[in-house]
Amino acid sequence: MERFSRSIDLDGKMWREDLAVNRAWAQALREAGLLTVAEEKKIQRGLRAIKKEFRLSRFVFLPEDEDIHVAMERRLTELIGATGAKIHTGRSRNDQVVTDFRLYLKRRVPELQAVLRALVEALIAHAEATQAIILPAYTHTQQAQPIRLAHYLLSLCFALQRHDEQLRQFVERIDEMPLGCGAVAGTAFPIDRKKLAAALGFKRVMQNAIDATGTRSFCGEIVFICSDIGTTLSRYAHDFILWSTQEFGFIDLGEKFATGSSMMPNKKNPDAFELVRGKAGTLLGLLTGMMALQKGIPATYSRDLQEDKRLVFEALQCAEDCLLVFAGALETLRFRAGNMFAR
Ligand code: ARG
């Protein structure tokens, strides 16, 4: 059961956020008169020491550390004694975990956007360099109108820029603080949540504690955007796969992003694009999982929700990898303008 119950391998990623939440909470407790100035100082000192341990990769997770929140409090109490346990006053892991998660996504999603923008830049550079190249556009996999290669490449740019906008809007929407909502219905202590939100860099405070601790709509939304990115890339990957065949001969794949066959030296397999296409299926599975997770439980926190991070983290990594590999494969392939024109 202990192994089954542990989520530290996943939520350990959120140590920066958990520390920030602890530091802001300690200050809020002192301001509410629940900690003395000396107690808060002691706690802040302990939290600074823990930060250093994480920074130097010296923080040791113990088998009994179920999740990042438990690990933090355990270590704080080890370092400064019983005062450490007071940090849990007036809060629950239920409001803590979604606060960490929203903070984490506010930091992580812009990283995905940067990778996405790098692919947009690469496409624009290719479009600029290949303006003279003409090829047939296909509908129903049948030849349709003649187009410039640049027109085709830029069509992916437009799609990606829409995804960039979806991500921007997502970050804007999740920028509200659940902390102070307790397990389900708030905290009995006079915590200044507006001040707390400002200290943590949240734009707004979540208004309804039941909603704040129970909703995982934002998880479904980010996994959907990742899955949408995967689906877009999959459509374009499919074209590049067709274009790499002997029959089309529109592109020559770079060696680093393809594999050969010792038995059939004529082969150069478009693995990068095939994997991108395949992972779009994986992403769709994660989305189904994320929605099913919420569908199956009552309105407020149930432990099922711990699975949210597995699905969201995997979706973010998968979408990012697809973008990186697509960009790499694009950068290393050669367009065969003669063949494109000849068709
Ligand atoms: N590790 C848990 C999660 O990710 C934290 C919340 C646990 N809350 C509880 N009441 N057991 O959801």
Side-chain angles (χ1 to χ4, degrees):
M1 178 57 196
E2 267 171 12
R3 182 174 60 78
F4 193 62
S5 175
R6 266 163 72 92
S7 58
I8 193 88
D9 299 334
L10 289 161
D11 55 38
K13 261 192 216 304
M14 306 195 300
W15 65 266
R16 289 178 193 79
E17 289 71 24
D18 205 69
L19 266 172
V21 165
N22 275 307
R23 301 198 57 176
W25 190 247
Q27 187 183 334
L29 287 178
R30 195 250 305 145
E31 283 165 2
L34 294 153
L35 290 177
T36 66
V37 173
E39 282 172 332
E40 198 225 333
K41 263 205 184 131
K42 211 168 171 188
I43 288 176
Q44 297 292 5
R45 194 165 7 93
L47 292 170
R48 273 200 300 277
I50 292 176
K51 188 174 190 173
K52 206 162 172 194
E53 292 181 347
F54 271 105
R55 281 250 169 92
L56 301 172
S57 303
R58 283 204 195 126
F59 190 97
V60 184
F61 291 119
L62 301 183
E64 60 270 30
D65 290 342
E66 185 181 286
D67 57 26
I68 187 67
H69 326 294
V70 170
M72 251 352 142
E73 282 179 36
R74 188 261 310 154
R75 185 70 185 131
L76 185 63
T77 309
E78 266 172 21
L79 287 172
I80 68 163
T83 312
K86 290 195 177 181
I87 188 73
H88 205 69
T89 310
R91 76 175 182 192
S92 152
R93 280 185 291 161
N94 294 0
D95 59 346
Q96 213 180 330
V97 70
V98 270
T99 306
D100 286 8
F101 205 4
R102 282 171 185 265
L103 281 177
Y104 175 82
L105 289 170
K106 277 176 57 177
R107 176 168 66 81
R108 178 70 178 90
V109 170
E111 291 174 3
L112 178 64
Q113 285 177 282
V115 172
L116 185 146
R117 285 177 196 158
L119 175 55
V120 170
E121 293 304 321
L123 285 161
I124 292 173
H126 269 78
E128 260 163 8
T130 61
Q131 285 183 54
I133 302 180
I134 307 284
L135 80 161
Y138 291 78
T139 61
H140 311 268
T141 331
Q142 305 290 319
Q143 280 195 12
Q145 294 168 291
I147 53 167
R148 283 184 199 277
L149 179 57
H151 189 174
Y152 177 86
L153 295 174
L154 290 177
S155 70
L156 178 52
C157 280
F158 278 92
L160 290 172
Q161 277 168 335
R162 263 194 312 274
H163 293 314
D164 193 24
E165 178 61 11
Q166 285 174 299
L167 291 168
R168 191 194 64 74
Q169 289 174 349
F170 169 78
V171 171
E172 158 63 27
R173 245 191 305 285
I174 59 163
D175 201 357
E176 354 181 76
M177 185 192 71
L179 199 62
C181 289
V184 62
T187 174
F189 302 113
I191 298 291
D192 184 343
R193 292 184 69 220
K194 281 206 178 121
K195 201 166 169 199
L196 192 55
L200 286 169
F202 279 110
K203 281 215 180 92
R204 301 172 294 274
V205 166
M206 288 191 84
Q207 301 283 322
N208 185 301
I210 298 171
D211 170 55
T213 50
T215 185
R216 291 297 183 281
S217 229
F218 67 98
C219 300
E221 191 178 352
I222 189 60
V223 180
F224 168 74
I225 301 171
C226 289
S227 172
D228 209 14
I229 292 170
T231 301
T232 296
L233 292 179
S234 176
R235 291 166 47 227
Y236 283 79
H238 193 110
D239 277 339
F240 283 105
I241 292 164
L242 280 178
W243 291 3
S244 72
T245 59
Q246 249 103 5
E247 287 73 10
F248 271 82
F250 284 8
I251 55 171
D252 208 1
L253 297 166
E255 306 282 343
K256 279 190 189 157
F257 289 84
T259 57
S261 159
S262 53
M263 190 185 170
M264 297 165 284
N266 54 312
K267 291 194 82 191
K268 202 189 231 177
N269 299 326
D271 302 48
F273 292 117
E274 288 175 323
L275 282 166
V276 166
R277 189 176 59 185
K279 283 176 193 289
T282 300
L283 280 162
L284 186 54
L286 293 170
L287 177 60
T288 308
M290 192 59 239
M291 299 314 285
L293 190 59
Q294 298 167 78
K295 161 75 185 77
I297 58 171
T300 54
Y301 184 87
S302 295
R303 193 63 184 282
D304 313 45
L305 291 177
Q306 178 165 293
E307 290 293 307
D308 60 357
K309 285 168 291 297
R310 182 188 310 286
L311 300 166
V312 170
F313 291 166
E314 193 177 333
L316 286 165
Q317 195 55 57
C318 190
E320 188 170 286
D321 289 348
C322 287
L323 289 162
L324 279 170
V325 168
F326 197 104
L330 181 78
E331 220 109 270
T332 51
L333 64 75
R334 205 170 52 80
F335 293 107
R336 299 172 73 181
N339 283 349
M340 288 182 171
F341 194 75
R343 304 285 169 210

